[in-house]
Amino acid sequence: VGVGVSLFETRRFAKLLQWPFDLQTAGIFAPSHGDTGNMFAQGGMWSPDVCRIALPYVKDPRIAWAARSSAGSEKVLFDRPSEELVGDHPDSEEPAIGSQPFHFPAYGLARLQHGENGDATASVLFYGFHGAHMHHDQLNLVLFARRNCLLTDIGYPEQTDPYNHRRFGFHNNTVAHNTVVVDSCKQARGPGILYGYEPNGPVQFVDASCEGAYPGTVSLYRRANLLVKAAPGRSYLFDVFTIHGGTQHDWSVHGTQ
């Protein structure tokens, strides 16, 4: 207090406000992961009210757009009215959100994407490592195309009861995700390794491994995805999963039906 430093002006703090826009996929989806979202992944994860608070400090047209979308929804006694705040920013067209590939290196999430909005095809691969609200889902893959969630993540479990058998037996378990189950066991947890990420051109590419998912069982647990643009508005995903170790490999995929 009183030191003349604004947290909003630091890049690391600003990223806490910008990441929901960066996560947005194919224009309309917010991929579920761990204890977030649901299997349809529709909508955005940003808070218009938080964007309104940040608007005077963070110069990002996406934040201005989100704040404008809910101007007047919240009244704070000693703050400037929302209408005045958004009035300081030109009312331009809706910014492009979720229209490009994106990589979260520290989190371990890589998106490939061709096209925008209705014509978009996008895949998201998780290779990261974190403990809070996690599922046993390393190298999980989700896929979106033509405004549909084709390969989905269930997201937040139906119950958070610590004794609920469905939560731990299925919803949080590896078998409920689009990855490979080794020897009928759920994954453990360990750091992932990114070998390559190429978001440009007609053939986009990501390659990562997570041997810590099955320590002592596998020597290689690696997945590579190529998103190939075949024609305008038409792309396909080539998926290669390589495992050395274990005696049984079950490749699990889940849609919304």
Side-chain angles (χ1 to χ4, degrees), residues 18-31 46 62 94-104 111-124 144 147 197 199-201 204 227 229 235:
Q18 295 166 330
W19 72 263
F21 300 101
D22 296 331
L23 180 67
Q24 195 77 357
T25 298
I28 59 173
F29 296 103
W46 54 83
R62 301 174 300 180
E94 180 178 341
I97 300 174
S99 62
Q100 300 293 328
F102 198 84
H103 182 217
F104 293 84
R111 179 173 77 238
L112 309 177
Q113 181 169 321
H114 285 307
E116 299 182 27
N117 300 324
D119 289 334
T121 299
S123 66
V124 180
F144 307 92
R147 297 185 178 273
Y197 177 68
N200 301 304
Q204 299 175 4
L227 186 64
K229 184 177 182 180
S235 300

XYZ file of all heavy atoms in Angstrom, residues 18-31 46 62 94-104 111-124 144 147 197 199-201 204 227 229 235:
411
model
N -5.879 -12.519 -18.484
C -5.931 -12.781 -19.919
C -6.040 -14.256 -20.285
O -6.484 -14.586 -21.393
C -4.688 -12.185 -20.581
C -4.625 -10.671 -20.487
C -3.260 -10.123 -20.834
O -2.237 -10.783 -20.613
N -3.215 -8.915 -21.383
N -5.665 -15.157 -19.360
C -5.605 -16.571 -19.734
C -6.953 -17.142 -20.198
O -6.967 -17.998 -21.104
C -5.029 -17.432 -18.600
C -5.950 -17.613 -17.415
C -5.943 -16.916 -16.255
C -7.012 -18.574 -17.288
N -6.938 -17.344 -15.413
C -7.602 -18.368 -16.024
C -7.523 -19.572 -18.109
C -8.683 -19.134 -15.572
C -8.607 -20.338 -17.657
C -9.159 -20.121 -16.401
N -8.114 -16.715 -19.638
C -9.360 -17.309 -20.147
C -9.591 -17.024 -21.628
O -10.166 -17.850 -22.340
C -10.439 -16.660 -19.274
C -9.735 -16.226 -18.038
C -8.387 -15.802 -18.501
N -9.130 -15.865 -22.102
C -9.274 -15.541 -23.522
C -8.308 -16.384 -24.365
O -8.645 -16.814 -25.467
C -9.012 -14.053 -23.750
C -9.938 -13.150 -22.994
C -9.526 -12.535 -21.827
C -11.229 -12.936 -23.443
C -10.384 -11.702 -21.124
C -12.105 -12.107 -22.753
C -11.675 -11.487 -21.576
N -7.099 -16.601 -23.832
C -6.122 -17.423 -24.543
C -6.563 -18.886 -24.621
O -6.268 -19.588 -25.587
C -4.753 -17.336 -23.862
C -4.152 -15.942 -23.910
O -4.461 -15.205 -24.862
O -3.383 -15.595 -22.997
N -7.263 -19.345 -23.575
C -7.721 -20.731 -23.542
C -8.853 -20.987 -24.525
O -9.001 -22.105 -25.034
C -8.180 -21.085 -22.123
C -8.701 -22.504 -21.901
C -7.575 -23.526 -22.075
C -9.326 -22.641 -20.513
N -9.647 -19.980 -24.807
C -10.816 -20.150 -25.682
C -10.408 -20.812 -27.002
O -9.417 -20.420 -27.626
C -11.463 -18.800 -25.940
C -12.859 -18.887 -26.513
C -13.896 -19.237 -25.450
O -13.568 -19.477 -24.294
N -15.156 -19.262 -25.839
N -11.155 -21.806 -27.416
C -10.797 -22.656 -28.551
C -11.899 -22.643 -29.604
O -13.082 -22.729 -29.260
C -10.546 -24.098 -28.056
O -9.445 -24.093 -27.142
C -10.228 -25.034 -29.210
N -11.496 -22.545 -30.849
C -12.442 -22.544 -31.971
C -13.540 -21.502 -31.791
O -14.671 -21.687 -32.241
C -13.048 -23.940 -32.159
N -13.221 -20.426 -31.095
C -14.134 -19.311 -30.946
C -15.184 -19.442 -29.873
O -15.572 -18.453 -29.253
N -15.654 -20.648 -29.577
C -16.816 -20.797 -28.691
C -16.620 -21.809 -27.566
O -17.526 -21.981 -26.747
C -18.065 -21.195 -29.503
C -17.836 -22.507 -30.243
C -18.464 -20.093 -30.465
C -19.092 -23.050 -30.922
N -15.466 -22.469 -27.500
C -15.274 -23.520 -26.506
C -14.213 -23.131 -25.472
O -13.214 -22.498 -25.797
C -14.842 -24.831 -27.170
C -15.867 -25.416 -28.091
C -15.720 -25.299 -29.462
C -16.977 -26.075 -27.594
C -16.656 -25.841 -30.333
C -17.934 -26.606 -28.449
C -17.767 -26.493 -29.827
N -14.447 -23.554 -24.224
C -13.458 -23.456 -23.157
C -13.174 -24.886 -22.712
O -13.946 -25.461 -21.939
C -13.980 -22.620 -21.996
N -12.100 -25.510 -23.215
C -11.857 -26.931 -22.938
C -11.851 -27.241 -21.445
O -11.176 -26.567 -20.661
C -10.477 -27.173 -23.560
C -10.340 -26.125 -24.604
C -11.049 -24.916 -24.053
N -13.998 -16.250 -18.602
C -13.695 -14.947 -18.037
C -14.889 -14.403 -17.266
O -16.041 -14.762 -17.507
C -13.308 -13.964 -19.142
C -14.309 -13.842 -20.234
C -15.428 -13.065 -20.254
C -14.309 -14.542 -21.480
N -16.113 -13.227 -21.430
C -15.450 -14.137 -22.208
C -13.430 -15.469 -22.072
C -15.748 -14.615 -23.469
C -13.721 -15.957 -23.331
C -14.867 -15.533 -24.019
N -9.815 -7.409 -25.583
C -10.686 -8.508 -25.167
C -11.299 -8.206 -23.804
O -12.481 -8.522 -23.559
C -9.904 -9.818 -25.135
C -9.293 -10.193 -26.475
C -8.401 -11.418 -26.387
N -7.288 -11.208 -25.455
C -6.360 -12.121 -25.194
N -6.415 -13.305 -25.789
N -5.377 -11.859 -24.342
N -16.197 -7.031 -32.192
C -15.809 -8.061 -31.232
C -14.419 -8.595 -31.579
O -14.161 -8.982 -32.713
C -16.828 -9.198 -31.254
C -16.514 -10.315 -30.284
C -17.578 -11.398 -30.306
O -18.699 -11.129 -30.789
O -17.278 -12.515 -29.842
N -13.493 -8.595 -30.623
C -12.135 -9.063 -30.926
C -12.115 -10.549 -31.232
O -12.988 -11.312 -30.802
C -11.362 -8.747 -29.643
C -12.402 -8.742 -28.570
C -13.652 -8.200 -29.214
N -11.115 -10.958 -31.978
C -10.956 -12.382 -32.294
C -10.498 -13.119 -31.045
O -9.422 -12.851 -30.507
C -9.943 -12.546 -33.419
N -11.316 -14.023 -30.572
C -11.003 -14.809 -29.376
C -11.065 -16.286 -29.748
O -12.051 -16.753 -30.290
C -11.993 -14.510 -28.235
C -11.937 -13.021 -27.858
C -11.710 -15.368 -27.018
C -12.980 -12.601 -26.848
N -10.000 -17.002 -29.462
C -9.962 -18.425 -29.781
C -9.867 -18.709 -31.255
O -10.419 -19.704 -31.735
N -9.141 -17.859 -31.989
C -9.062 -18.018 -33.439
C -7.711 -18.541 -33.918
O -7.544 -18.763 -35.116
C -9.352 -16.675 -34.128
O -8.380 -15.708 -33.757
N -6.762 -18.742 -32.982
C -5.415 -19.151 -33.355
C -4.937 -20.281 -32.453
O -5.460 -20.482 -31.352
C -4.447 -17.959 -33.220
C -4.790 -16.760 -34.085
C -4.625 -17.043 -35.559
O -3.761 -17.829 -35.966
N -5.444 -16.396 -36.385
N -3.923 -21.037 -32.885
C -3.292 -22.007 -31.976
C -2.699 -21.275 -30.774
O -2.401 -20.075 -30.845
C -2.198 -22.644 -32.839
C -2.561 -22.337 -34.243
C -3.293 -21.030 -34.220
N -2.511 -22.003 -29.681
C -1.925 -21.378 -28.492
C -1.256 -22.445 -27.634
O -1.681 -23.601 -27.620
C -2.984 -20.638 -27.674
C -2.412 -19.639 -26.713
C -2.099 -18.359 -27.139
C -2.161 -19.980 -25.392
C -1.558 -17.431 -26.269
C -1.620 -19.068 -24.514
C -1.312 -17.782 -24.943
N -0.223 -22.012 -26.907
C 0.538 -22.929 -26.049
C 0.714 -22.312 -24.668
O 1.159 -21.173 -24.544
C 1.915 -23.208 -26.675
C 2.750 -24.174 -25.890
N 4.109 -24.048 -25.753
C 2.403 -25.288 -25.194
C 4.574 -25.032 -25.025
N 3.554 -25.801 -24.667
N 0.336 -23.076 -23.623
C 0.601 -22.696 -22.237
C 1.780 -23.547 -21.741
O 1.575 -24.654 -21.217
C -0.612 -22.966 -21.354
C -1.811 -22.111 -21.646
C -2.696 -22.441 -22.645
C -2.051 -20.972 -20.898
C -3.811 -21.659 -22.905
C -3.165 -20.177 -21.146
C -4.053 -20.521 -22.150
N -2.563 -26.196 -27.950
C -3.695 -26.216 -28.880
C -3.211 -26.069 -30.311
O -2.393 -25.197 -30.615
C -4.673 -25.078 -28.560
C -5.869 -25.041 -29.527
C -6.909 -24.039 -29.108
N -6.564 -22.654 -29.397
C -6.488 -21.703 -28.488
N -6.705 -21.975 -27.215
N -6.178 -20.458 -28.821
N -3.739 -26.922 -31.186
C -3.577 -26.789 -32.626
C -4.916 -26.354 -33.199
O -5.965 -26.824 -32.737
C -3.144 -28.119 -33.251
C -1.931 -28.828 -32.623
C -1.686 -30.177 -33.313
C -0.685 -27.958 -32.683
N -4.908 -25.503 -34.207
C -6.191 -25.035 -34.743
C -6.050 -24.514 -36.158
O -5.135 -23.756 -36.479
C -6.766 -23.927 -33.847
C -8.118 -23.410 -34.317
C -8.796 -22.528 -33.284
O -8.733 -22.796 -32.095
N -9.455 -21.487 -33.741
N -6.981 -24.942 -37.002
C -7.147 -24.400 -38.359
C -8.547 -23.802 -38.449
O -9.519 -24.406 -37.992
C -7.004 -25.489 -39.418
C -5.612 -25.935 -39.655
N -4.577 -25.072 -39.943
C -5.058 -27.185 -39.645
C -3.462 -25.757 -40.114
N -3.724 -27.033 -39.925
N -8.668 -22.635 -39.071
C -9.963 -22.021 -39.281
C -10.455 -21.249 -38.068
O -9.822 -21.241 -37.005
N -11.589 -20.603 -38.238
C -12.194 -19.809 -37.186
C -13.679 -20.128 -37.082
O -14.324 -20.489 -38.064
C -12.021 -18.309 -37.459
C -10.569 -17.845 -37.516
C -10.475 -16.352 -37.742
O -11.415 -15.628 -37.357
O -9.465 -15.902 -38.309
N -14.186 -19.995 -35.859
C -15.624 -20.108 -35.585
C -16.236 -21.353 -36.220
O -15.794 -22.460 -35.955
C -16.334 -18.830 -36.034
C -15.797 -17.610 -35.283
O -15.473 -17.712 -34.101
N -15.711 -16.492 -35.960
N -17.218 -21.196 -37.109
C -17.937 -22.349 -37.631
C -17.100 -23.309 -38.444
O -17.423 -24.486 -38.544
N -16.018 -22.823 -39.057
C -15.173 -23.686 -39.880
C -13.961 -24.228 -39.125
O -13.111 -24.896 -39.716
C -14.669 -22.906 -41.106
C -15.786 -22.630 -42.101
O -16.749 -23.412 -42.115
O -15.688 -21.638 -42.834
N -13.854 -23.939 -37.833
C -12.640 -24.281 -37.099
C -12.580 -25.759 -36.726
O -13.585 -26.381 -36.385
C -12.535 -23.439 -35.839
N -11.367 -26.311 -36.796
C -11.043 -27.614 -36.230
C -9.875 -27.398 -35.281
O -8.869 -26.782 -35.660
C -10.642 -28.629 -37.306
O -11.729 -28.811 -38.209
C -10.273 -29.972 -36.686
N -10.000 -27.882 -34.054
C -8.965 -27.641 -33.050
C -8.804 -28.857 -32.150
O -9.776 -29.550 -31.825
C -9.309 -26.412 -32.206
N -7.570 -29.101 -31.737
C -7.269 -30.153 -30.770
C -6.480 -29.545 -29.624
O -5.724 -28.593 -29.808
C -6.467 -31.279 -31.417
O -5.174 -30.821 -31.809
N -6.661 -30.088 -28.421
C -5.950 -29.607 -27.237
C -5.353 -30.821 -26.534
O -6.072 -31.763 -26.170
C -6.889 -28.847 -26.281
C -6.116 -28.370 -25.054
C -7.538 -27.666 -26.991
N -12.343 -30.523 -31.296
C -13.516 -29.733 -31.663
C -13.527 -29.508 -33.170
O -12.480 -29.289 -33.782
C -13.493 -28.367 -30.961
C -13.319 -28.448 -29.469
C -12.059 -28.391 -28.901
C -14.413 -28.582 -28.633
C -11.888 -28.463 -27.531
C -14.270 -28.653 -27.263
C -12.993 -28.596 -26.708
N -18.283 -26.469 -34.735
C -19.116 -26.088 -33.586
C -19.578 -27.277 -32.759
O -20.607 -27.202 -32.058
C -20.323 -25.256 -34.040
C -19.953 -23.921 -34.676
C -21.177 -23.082 -35.010
N -20.791 -21.800 -35.574
C -20.508 -20.708 -34.863
N -20.566 -20.780 -33.539
N -20.167 -19.581 -35.452
N 6.612 -28.298 -30.800
C 5.331 -27.628 -30.999
C 5.477 -26.692 -32.191
O 6.326 -25.798 -32.182
C 4.924 -26.843 -29.755
C 3.634 -26.049 -29.916
C 2.419 -26.703 -30.051
C 3.653 -24.656 -29.921
C 1.238 -25.978 -30.206
C 2.482 -23.923 -30.071
C 1.272 -24.597 -30.213
O 0.111 -23.882 -30.373
N 2.914 -24.419 -34.486
C 1.541 -23.980 -34.706
C 1.298 -23.321 -36.058
O 0.179 -22.837 -36.292
C 1.360 -22.952 -33.588
C 2.715 -22.331 -33.453
C 3.720 -23.426 -33.754
N 2.297 -23.280 -36.924
C 2.176 -22.556 -38.189
C 2.056 -23.504 -39.376
O 2.498 -24.651 -39.326
C 3.389 -21.643 -38.386
C 3.542 -20.627 -37.273
O 2.632 -19.864 -36.999
N 4.692 -20.631 -36.608
N 1.469 -23.006 -40.447
C 1.415 -23.767 -41.682
C 0.250 -24.725 -41.755
O -0.539 -24.876 -40.815
N 0.137 -28.594 -38.548
C 0.556 -28.191 -37.213
C 0.886 -29.436 -36.393
O 0.346 -30.517 -36.647
C -0.544 -27.367 -36.548
C -0.867 -26.089 -37.298
C -2.033 -25.348 -36.696
O -2.583 -25.719 -35.662
N -2.461 -24.274 -37.365
N -2.259 -31.831 -36.925
C -3.515 -31.302 -37.445
C -3.252 -30.824 -38.866
O -2.497 -29.877 -39.086
C -4.037 -30.161 -36.580
C -5.421 -29.637 -36.948
C -6.486 -30.714 -36.748
C -5.776 -28.396 -36.125
N -4.449 -29.461 -42.560
C -5.466 -28.738 -43.315
C -5.550 -29.331 -44.714
O -4.654 -29.176 -45.530
C -5.118 -27.252 -43.390
C -6.176 -26.405 -44.085
C -5.813 -24.933 -44.052
C -6.885 -24.079 -44.711
N -6.537 -22.638 -44.682
N -10.204 -30.100 -42.047
C -8.927 -30.545 -41.479
C -9.134 -31.894 -40.810
O -10.256 -32.266 -40.444
C -8.408 -29.530 -40.444
O -8.206 -28.267 -41.025
